[in-house]
Amino acid sequence: MKTYSYNMGFYNTNTIEEKRVNKLTGDIHINDAFKEETQKRGIPIYDAYNIQKRLYHEVEQEMLVGEEAVDNRLMELLEEKGKKEVSHSYVEEMMEDGKKSKGMIPARPKEAPARNELLDSIPPRGRDGKTFNRKPEKTTADYLNRIFLQNQKIINQNKKVIELLEKIEEKL
């Protein structure tokens, strides 16, 4: 039984459970947080994909009902496949990250950094204001030599064309 919710002009057919699996593991590809968690636990990447597929399958078969059931099943699968012991809960970390407001500008520090700290953070070339020429400037002799080489190429190409035309005339 799918629930339909109206979202930004189109119907979203994902259930609450499917949305929760998307949030915890990622949509099509595994998200970075889930990858890091599986690496901490020593789970290979293919097993991480298998965990994600297993969750989707159990949600589609309506074996998992509610966000809590999805969370508990994810933790069971992580502990079952994990080769290293970890002391934290991935689901709780994700819930804490969700509470933090993303895209917010951090508050302005109360004290401005000292002038020396600012100067240390600027790279030396930018701080000195110097400009560096990357290529040496070319002289007229360099330009004339380049033109001479281009003309030689054109002459050689013209010789080949003339030879080919002569061969064609002989055949006719």
Side-chain angles (χ1 to χ4, degrees), residues 136-145:
E137 293 185 22
K138 294 191 177 192
T139 61
T140 54
D142 291 334
Y143 286 119
L144 290 174
N145 188 24

Side-chain angles (χ1 to χ4, degrees), residues 12 14 45 62 73 78 81-82 86 88 97 112 116 122 138 141 147 152-153 157-158 164 168:
N12 189 350
N14 288 346
I45 192 71
E62 296 182 1
R73 182 63 178 146
L78 284 174
K81 299 280 185 181
V86 279
H88 63 277
D97 287 344
N116 292 338
I122 300 171
K138 294 191 177 192
I147 291 170
Q152 284 293 330
K153 287 181 184 176
Q157 288 174 348
N158 287 341
L164 289 172
I168 292 173

Side-chain angles (χ1 to χ4, degrees), residues 1-2 15 56-65:
M1 181 170 133
K2 297 231 177 208
T15 61
Y56 276 120
H57 176 72
E58 290 180 7
V59 166
E60 287 173 0
Q61 298 299 319
E62 296 182 1
M63 296 167 67
L64 300 175
V65 179

Side-chain angles (χ1 to χ4, degrees), residues 53-99:
K53 286 180 188 176
R54 185 72 197 166
L55 282 173
Y56 276 120
H57 176 72
E58 290 180 7
V59 166
E60 287 173 0
Q61 298 299 319
E62 296 182 1
M63 296 167 67
L64 300 175
V65 179
E67 290 182 357
E68 236 179 87
V70 173
D71 294 350
N72 293 335
R73 182 63 178 146
L74 174 62
M75 289 308 295
E76 287 175 18
L77 291 171
L78 284 174
E79 289 170 6
E80 178 184 311
K81 299 280 185 181
K83 296 177 178 138
K84 297 178 186 172
E85 290 291 324
V86 279
S87 60
H88 63 277
S89 171
Y90 173 68
V91 173
E92 289 175 10
E93 283 185 0
M94 288 299 290
M95 289 176 67
E96 289 172 9
D97 287 344
K99 291 177 185 175

Side-chain angles (χ1 to χ4, degrees):
M1 181 170 133
K2 297 231 177 208
T3 58
Y4 295 96
S5 63
Y6 192 73
N7 188 3
M8 292 180 45
F10 61 91
Y11 288 102
N12 189 350
T13 60
N14 288 346
T15 61
I16 297 168
E17 294 84 7
E18 288 172 332
K19 289 178 186 177
R20 185 67 178 170
V21 173
N22 286 347
K23 183 178 181 184
L24 293 173
T25 63
D27 191 5
I28 296 171
H29 302 289
I30 291 178
N31 64 22
D32 294 333
F34 190 61
K35 273 185 192 173
E36 289 174 16
E37 181 64 25
T38 55
Q39 287 173 354
K40 286 178 191 173
R41 294 175 182 266
I43 300 173
I45 192 71
Y46 61 87
D47 272 340
Y49 279 105
N50 289 340
I51 290 171
Q52 183 186 36
K53 286 180 188 176
R54 185 72 197 166
L55 282 173
Y56 276 120
H57 176 72
E58 290 180 7
V59 166
E60 287 173 0
Q61 298 299 319
E62 296 182 1
M63 296 167 67
L64 300 175
V65 179
E67 290 182 357
E68 236 179 87
V70 173
D71 294 350
N72 293 335
R73 182 63 178 146
L74 174 62
M75 289 308 295
E76 287 175 18
L77 291 171
L78 284 174
E79 289 170 6
E80 178 184 311
K81 299 280 185 181
K83 296 177 178 138
K84 297 178 186 172
E85 290 291 324
V86 279
S87 60
H88 63 277
S89 171
Y90 173 68
V91 173
E92 289 175 10
E93 283 185 0
M94 288 299 290
M95 289 176 67
E96 289 172 9
D97 287 344
K99 291 177 185 175
K100 296 177 186 173
S101 56
K102 294 182 180 177
M104 294 292 291
I105 300 171
R108 174 180 262 180
K110 294 179 182 172
E111 295 179 11
R115 180 173 167 76
N116 292 338
E117 290 176 20
L118 287 176
L119 289 178
D120 289 342
S121 66
I122 300 171
R125 287 186 179 180
R127 184 175 61 223
D128 298 340
K130 294 180 182 175
T131 58
F132 296 93
N133 293 334
R134 294 186 180 171
K135 294 181 183 177
E137 293 185 22
K138 294 191 177 192
T139 61
T140 54
D142 291 334
Y143 286 119
L144 290 174
N145 188 24
R146 189 170 178 187
I147 291 170
F148 173 75
L149 291 174
Q150 287 176 344
N151 287 340
Q152 284 293 330
K153 287 181 184 176
I154 292 171
I155 290 170
N156 289 337
Q157 288 174 348
N158 287 341
K159 285 181 184 177
K160 289 180 182 177
V161 169
I162 291 172
E163 288 175 7
L164 289 172
L165 287 173
E166 288 175 355
K167 286 182 184 178
I168 292 173
E169 285 180 3
E170 289 175 2
K171 288 182 181 178
L172 294 175

